[in-house]
Structure formats: structure tokens, C-alpha cells
Amino acid sequence: MANYFELDFLEVHSSKSGDAITIRYEVGGETFIHVVDGGYVATGEKIVEHINNHYGPLSYIDHVVATHNDGDHACGLRVVLESFPVGTLWLLRPWLYAEELLPRFATYNSVDRLRSRLRSIYSNLAALEEIAEERGINIQEPFQGSQIGAFTVLAPTRTRFLDLVVASDKTPEAAEPAERGVLEEIATAAEGYIKKAINLIRAAWGAEVFSTDETSAENEMSVVQYANICDKKILLTGDTGRGGLAEAADYAPTAGLFLPGITYFQVPHHGSRRNVSTELLDRWLGQRLDTPVPKGSEKFTAIISAASEDEDHPRKAVVRACMHRGARVVSTDDGKGQKIFYANIPLRKGWVVATPLDYPTDQEA
């Protein structure tokens, strides 16, 4: 049989968006099942049902990847690890580097205390580690250059990951000073006010406005993966931000990926304006087109994992930006079930072609 793949983006039913991706593919006569993130705990149960229904009951999962600690990505993977035999769990564990990081945290002088604190902060990943150890599942670190089946990790590097752990507002040095805590409360309140005050403005084709704010350090820790299967270039980004996308683009040629040009592009962080920029999208997807591409003639597919109840995602500016580069944009928030992308395999019975989003004529100011 020729190589094939099934790439499934499952719905995450919640007031907030999440990621849950399953992939089955065959390369060189060898079949793999690869799970990337699991949404919330309830999502994990749906992943189990989905795999049993479509990949075969009691399937062996070769790779499970937790892109980062956020609960809308990591929590559901607990159910997956407990429900199937798993070859390798891939996750980044800050506490493994407590001894190396200790000099960078002025308020800590004990490796054990710092290690314990980091496990507490990144508790979703720590829970996955505990399950894997109990079940005898191999654990590996998905730093840049790691090979996860057909997928290559493009970001983060080990050095940048540790810098992000130190920079995070959640880690001890950033969180403990009282004055900073007060400032953070004020900033959070201000952010909520600004969020409510966002207005939509009409905009001409090609106009792009992104947030000047950056995404969180935790999101920037996300594992970015790339694979070329059946001559289809697949990029899975988690919640990575501009730093992660730039780092991944720098490394792409080493992985045999010469930009621009992606077939299936997971839009980072559910379509947030804080995670992309015009320059980065130009680099990954190509320059903006002078005129819209007719429906049915799109150059690539951009997939957004967004919950229908989530009023904040996806942002219209991001949907527009993908279309400016010739994308067919598909979102999981349309209430019509999970999205499947495939090659060299029949479409599942009863499934229909996903309806792409329409071009927004307005965007966030």
C-alpha cells in the first residue's frame, strides 16, 4: 500500500478553546499513530472513542506529544495514557533542570525546593510523567532536532526553553516579590478592560493588524513539529508565539523544509493575534496576494482549533491574514464535528468536505 495519512483535529467543547489532534499514517510500509495534545479531561475520553472507532480498538499509540503545560492541551492526555499501550511520551519537564537553573533564581538556594516548586507550577506535565512512569512508558524530550516518527521538532531549543522557564511570570523569581505581584494584578485588570473595549473596523483586502503584545512564556514553550508525508507538508504549532515560529523557521532548512510553503498549517493558539505577525506569515506561507484566491483554488489549508463557545478565538485579523496568502481556512468551532485531512485513503463513511470560513471584511482595531 502507498504511504497515507489521516490528520484529525477534534473538537474541544468548553468555554475556552483547546487542542486535540490524532494522526495515523503509513511511511515505508510502517504504520504509526501519533497524538498531539488532548484538550481537557473530557476531551481525552473523546480521543479514546475516536481512536477506537477509526484507528481500531485497543490501538497501539506510538507517540504522544504534550506541546506544553496548559490544561487545554495536556489534561486530556492523562486519559489517553491510561487507555492505550503507548510507545513514547514526549514532554518538556522544567524540573529536570533545577540544578542548572538554580543560579538564575535569586530567591532559591536549594535544588530540591526549586525542583518541587517547578513540578507544582507545571503540574499538568508532572501528572503525565507520573502516569507514564507507573505504566512503564518511555519518556523523551522534544527539543529541536528530535525525530518523532515522521515528524521533526523545529522548536524549542534547549537553551531557549530554559530561558522561557526563567522568564515566565509563573516561576518563583518572577512571582514572589510583593511589588511585582501588585503590578501584575493591575496589569491583569487593565488587560480585561482592554479586551472588552476591542472594536472591529472595516478593512480592505490585504490590511493586517496584530496585537503589539506577546503571548505568554508558557505558550512559547510549545513544541513545533513538521512532517512531509505523501508530499504534503504538515506543521503543528501548539500555542507557540512569534519567538517559536521564528526559531522554527530558522531551523526548517535543516529539516529539509524550504520556506515558504506549508500544505497544512495549524494556526497557533486558536487564532490569537499575539502569536503571529505579517513578517512571520510571509516567511512561512508566502507574501500577501494582490487579490483573493477563488474558492476551490486555495494554495494551502490553515486549521484553527477553536471552541464554538469561545468568543475570543479565532481573531478575524488572523483569519484574514491566512486568506491573504491563499489559504482555505477551516475552524473546529463550526459545530459540525472534528476535521479530517487525508491523503491516499478513502474518506470515512458519512463524512463531508469541511466548509471553509468566509473572508471577514472587518478586523480587530
Side-chain angles (χ1 to χ4, degrees):
M1 183 177 180
N3 294 345
Y4 73 86
F5 70 81
E6 301 166 273
L7 171 62
D8 295 315
F9 283 74
L10 278 63
E11 290 179 291
V12 176
H13 290 289
S14 172
S15 59
K16 296 295 182 181
S17 298
D19 277 0
I21 303 168
T22 67
I23 314 156
R24 180 171 65 169
Y25 62 90
E26 181 174 299
V27 174
E30 191 173 1
T31 302
F32 297 87
I33 295 179
H34 188 116
V35 176
V36 181
D37 290 333
Y40 301 97
V41 172
T43 315
E45 296 167 356
K46 294 179 181 178
I47 293 174
V48 171
E49 181 181 4
H50 179 83
I51 291 175
N52 284 331
N53 288 342
H54 299 294
Y55 298 171
L58 302 178
S59 294
Y60 175 84
I61 299 180
D62 298 272
H63 302 288
V64 171
V65 182
T67 60
H68 62 299
N69 182 70
D70 285 357
D72 60 315
H73 292 250
C75 285
L77 292 180
R78 302 181 195 180
V79 183
V80 175
L81 294 179
E82 292 171 339
S83 301
F84 296 101
V86 174
T88 303
L89 169 64
W90 297 82
L91 77 165
L92 297 173
R93 297 170 284 176
W95 54 90
L96 294 185
Y97 306 96
E99 184 173 358
E100 181 178 347
L101 290 171
L102 186 64
R104 303 177 68 175
F105 289 100
T107 55
Y108 275 71
N109 55 20
S110 165
V111 172
D112 289 340
R113 285 186 62 235
L114 179 58
R115 182 180 296 115
S116 176
R117 179 63 176 142
L118 290 173
R119 283 184 63 86
S120 175
I121 292 169
Y122 297 94
S123 58
N124 291 323
L125 298 179
L128 296 179
E129 179 192 58
E130 291 176 4
I131 295 170
E133 290 178 344
E134 289 174 1
R135 293 178 60 84
I137 298 171
N138 179 39
I139 303 177
Q140 295 290 332
E141 298 170 292
F143 286 125
Q144 185 183 81
S146 298
Q147 200 68 34
I148 308 177
F151 287 79
T152 301
V153 176
L154 304 184
T157 60
R158 182 181 184 277
T159 297
R160 181 167 163 275
F161 173 72
L162 295 183
D163 288 344
L164 289 166
V165 172
V166 175
S168 170
D169 288 340
K170 293 184 178 181
T171 51
E173 189 172 43
E176 288 188 3
E179 292 184 5
R180 177 162 183 146
V182 172
L183 291 174
E184 284 176 349
E185 287 182 10
I186 294 173
T188 300
E191 181 180 351
Y193 175 78
I194 293 171
K195 178 178 171 184
K196 293 177 182 178
I198 286 178
N199 294 317
L200 296 176
I201 57 172
R202 291 190 66 83
W205 169 265
E208 296 179 355
V209 178
F210 299 108
S211 174
T212 56
D213 296 330
E214 299 291 336
T215 195
S216 69
E218 281 67 37
N219 286 341
E220 284 282 16
M221 295 176 194
S222 290
V223 178
V224 179
Q225 305 165 77
Y226 159 74
N228 187 338
I229 309 174
C230 301
D231 293 325
K232 306 296 184 184
K233 299 174 182 178
I234 302 167
L235 185 73
L236 303 178
T237 60
D239 280 356
T240 200
R242 294 164 188 151
L245 287 176
E247 184 176 62
D250 290 341
Y251 187 76
T254 304
L257 172 60
F258 298 94
L259 300 173
I262 294 294
T263 313
Y264 294 107
F265 175 69
Q266 181 191 8
V267 180
H269 198 199
H270 324 297
S272 169
R273 290 198 306 156
R274 296 184 178 193
N275 295 64
V276 296
S277 68
T278 294
E279 294 74 21
L280 283 166
L281 292 177
D282 285 348
R283 193 173 180 187
W284 278 101
L285 307 176
Q287 299 288 321
R288 283 172 284 183
L289 305 175
D290 293 333
T291 57
V293 174
K295 285 193 175 182
S297 301
E298 294 89 351
K299 297 183 175 183
F300 65 97
T301 300
I303 308 110
I304 302 175
S305 293
S308 56
E309 298 88 349
D310 187 347
E311 298 179 355
D312 299 324
H313 300 99
R315 291 299 190 186
K316 293 186 176 185
V318 178
V319 173
R320 287 169 50 93
C322 291
M323 292 183 179
H324 292 160
R325 292 158 179 83
R328 170 179 175 260
V329 182
V330 176
S331 177
T332 60
D333 69 349
D334 61 4
K336 296 181 180 179
Q338 59 261 34
K339 301 295 178 287
I340 176 175
F341 308 92
Y342 61 100
N344 294 345
I345 193 168
L347 183 63
R348 295 176 194 141
K349 184 177 180 180
W351 286 44
V352 296
V353 176
T355 303
L357 300 181
D358 292 325
Y359 181 73
T361 56
D362 52 11
Q363 64 180 326
E364 297 77 15

